[in-house]
Amino acid sequence: MSDTPWYREDRLHYGVGIEDTFIPQEAVGHRKLDEYELTQHYARWREDLDLVAESGAEFVRWGIPWYLVEPRPGEFDWSWLDQVAERMRELKLRCIVDLMHYGTPLWLDNSFINAGYPERVASYGRAVAERYRDVFTDFTPLNEPVVNAEWCGENAKWPPYLSGHDGFVKVTLQLARGMVLTQRAIAAVHPDATFVHVDAGFLYRGDGESPLLSRELLEERRFVALDLITGRVDADAPLHPWLTSHGVTEAELQWFRDNAVTPDVIGVNYYPHFTTGEFVDGRLTPVHNDGGGLRALVSLYSDRYGLPIAVTETSLVGTPAEKIDWMREAGAVLEAMRSEGHPIIGFTWFPFFSMVDWLYRFDQLKPDDWMLEFGIVDLVRGADLGLERVRNEAFEVFRRAAVAAREG
């Protein structure tokens, strides 16, 4: 077996991801949002992992429901996770573990702005890494920090329900502290671990700007968490005036520079139907963008950080033929960029199967009314109310691409 880390191999690795948003807190008009529950993954996880293996995927992005694994502070229930980890070992699936995907345990009052959040999430991450060090070797300390901060700190949709720029900055700083401490805690017990940072992709076009943020600020803000954890935010950084105007102190920024961590892989998420926003009459509206948008986004991260890049999420809601077209177009763009010298090492179809729209949380419609067919496996409600897993035509196209990439 080669001693070369997988992300240093000179080829594209194909993977899939299972949507794993967990927002367990309920409130008036806000019901629980647990994608594993809504898609019946808790009941059908064996079948789902077998399908992942059959797809030819070399890795799976898969998340741990922290709120269930640590139901009380410092007390862990590993019973379900032990079974899942063992099956992944049997299937020889590389799991890029999503440790934090938007939601905290119920016992952590005020969620991300709880004073103890950074240490709590790091302690949980360390416990996972220690218990499963022979199975889990790749970790994402926190998924999509900017989206996390938008929904939890800017738009008041998820706990702790803060709003505006001030809320966004408060949540972002806590998320970033947690990411730093989590990576350090895992590395202390698992020195060979690989860290995959995952950013939501954002592109902007048009001559206008948002009433809340300038175009220039939006284009810098998409990098805010990654710049913080890697210690890049100093007095000359474009975001420095904005951050300090919302209460960030020089001592806090110095802490990030003193404790900087660097991921092994930067994950970039790109969806052709909504990653790009266009300014129209002072409003930012999602618009369709093609492979040119993917190239532009990946280039931004490659040029800015100079680290291996994986597209950690891409897909679209559409017909199987439309999914196949996008899969081929995106794959061709990434291979072309590799030939030009960009260190692109991963392509992830995410989500692998259908998911329930996050807007489900805010009404009383049935999950089926919010089902989004992103995947190469469809979820079809059976007579027994079970969600059957049905491969669509894109499944085989993905499998052939994955096998071809692995075999060279």
Side-chain angles (χ1 to χ4, degrees):
M1 181 179 295
S2 172
D3 293 331
T4 303
W6 68 273
Y7 58 87
R8 294 291 182 190
E9 295 175 356
D10 187 22
R11 65 181 180 85
L12 198 60
H13 299 73
Y14 276 70
V16 298
I18 294 177
E19 169 63 25
D20 56 335
T21 295
F22 307 111
I23 313 291
Q25 293 86 351
E26 296 178 294
V28 176
H30 291 187
R31 55 182 166 176
K32 176 183 179 182
L33 176 63
D34 180 332
E35 289 284 348
Y36 284 3
E37 186 176 278
L38 294 169
T39 59
Q40 299 182 355
H41 180 63
Y42 289 126
R44 296 174 178 257
W45 63 269
R46 290 181 184 275
E47 178 183 358
D48 292 340
L49 294 183
D50 288 350
L51 280 168
V52 169
E54 290 170 22
S55 77
E58 292 186 60
F59 63 85
V60 58
R61 289 193 63 216
W62 183 89
I64 296 172
W66 181 15
Y67 82 101
L68 295 178
V69 167
E70 190 177 3
R72 289 165 295 281
E75 297 181 22
F76 293 93
D77 179 355
W78 304 112
S79 54
W80 181 68
L81 192 52
D82 280 352
Q83 298 176 67
V84 177
E86 180 57 30
R87 184 58 180 154
M88 287 183 178
R89 185 211 304 272
E90 293 170 356
L91 293 171
K92 296 181 173 59
L93 278 178
R94 177 180 297 279
C95 181
I96 300 176
V97 182
D98 259 351
L99 288 167
M100 163 53 62
H101 207 106
Y102 302 136
T104 57
L106 295 169
W107 48 261
L108 193 67
D109 59 289
N110 295 317
S111 187
F112 297 107
I113 59 169
N114 184 291
Y117 164 76
E119 291 75 17
R120 286 291 190 185
V121 73
S123 176
Y124 146 68
R126 178 182 178 127
V128 170
E130 281 187 305
R131 186 172 184 88
Y132 302 106
R133 61 175 300 132
D134 295 332
V135 184
F136 296 151
T137 56
D138 301 71
F139 299 89
T140 296
L142 183 134
N143 175 71
E144 295 186 334
V146 171
V147 171
N148 202 149
E150 285 179 340
W151 282 68
C152 298
E154 187 172 54
N155 302 327
K157 295 294 187 182
W158 295 341
Y161 304 111
L162 301 189
S163 61
H165 295 185
D166 189 71
F168 180 95
V169 172
K170 281 183 169 60
V171 170
T172 295
L173 242 64
Q174 284 287 85
L175 298 179
R177 290 186 188 107
M179 293 160 70
V180 169
L181 295 183
T182 298
Q183 181 161 333
R184 288 183 168 275
I186 291 173
V189 298
H190 201 330
D192 297 326
T194 295
F195 295 96
V196 181
H197 174 89
V198 175
D199 258 3
F202 295 101
L203 290 172
Y204 305 99
R205 69 188 190 192
D207 297 327
E209 56 183 44
S210 163
L212 297 177
L213 293 168
S214 70
R215 168 81 173 268
E216 181 182 10
L217 184 55
L218 280 169
E219 290 184 336
E220 281 298 315
R221 198 179 77 161
R222 62 188 160 196
F223 304 115
V224 61
L226 189 50
D227 278 2
L228 281 169
I229 70 170
T230 55
R232 297 166 64 101
V233 182
D234 57 19
D236 296 325
L239 285 177
H240 183 274
W242 185 70
L243 291 171
T244 55
S245 72
H246 290 286
V248 181
T249 67
E250 295 298 340
E252 288 173 315
L253 294 177
Q254 187 64 49
W255 182 89
F256 283 106
R257 293 194 293 272
D258 291 343
N259 294 278
V261 295
T262 301
D264 300 292
V265 178
I266 294 176
V268 182
N269 298 346
Y270 179 85
Y271 292 89
H273 288 173
F274 56 81
T275 286
T276 302
E278 184 167 19
F279 292 100
V280 179
D281 297 328
R283 297 185 63 183
L284 194 59
T285 303
V287 294
H288 176 77
N289 203 345
D290 57 13
L294 177 62
R295 170 181 279 274
L297 186 68
V298 171
S299 294
L300 284 170
Y301 279 86
S302 179
D303 295 343
R304 189 179 183 102
Y305 299 104
L307 293 169
I309 303 286
V311 174
T312 37
E313 294 183 22
T314 193
S315 64
L316 55 81
V317 174
T319 65
E322 290 170 326
K323 293 174 186 178
I324 290 168
D325 286 346
W326 173 241
M327 192 180 296
R328 289 172 171 162
E329 181 180 0
V333 167
L334 297 181
E335 289 292 3
M337 294 185 71
R338 282 177 42 77
S339 70
E340 296 161 13
H342 292 279
I344 301 167
I345 51 85
F347 174 96
T348 314
W349 194 270
F350 188 111
F352 180 52
F353 50 71
S354 314
M355 63 169 282
V356 174
D357 194 304
W358 295 344
L359 297 179
Y360 160 88
R361 176 170 165 82
F362 307 115
D363 67 26
Q364 296 303 312
L365 296 177
K366 296 177 182 179
D368 290 15
D369 295 324
W370 286 110
M371 197 69 76
L372 298 174
E373 302 293 351
F374 277 106
I376 59 176
V377 174
D378 299 326
L379 301 187
V380 179
R381 186 76 66 182
D384 63 353
L385 300 184
L387 289 171
E388 301 301 322
R389 276 58 175 152
V390 180
R391 302 170 181 82
N392 60 50
E393 291 91 336
F395 184 96
E396 178 59 22
V397 175
F398 178 91
R399 190 194 66 79
R400 289 198 300 266
V403 171
R406 185 165 57 248
E407 295 179 349

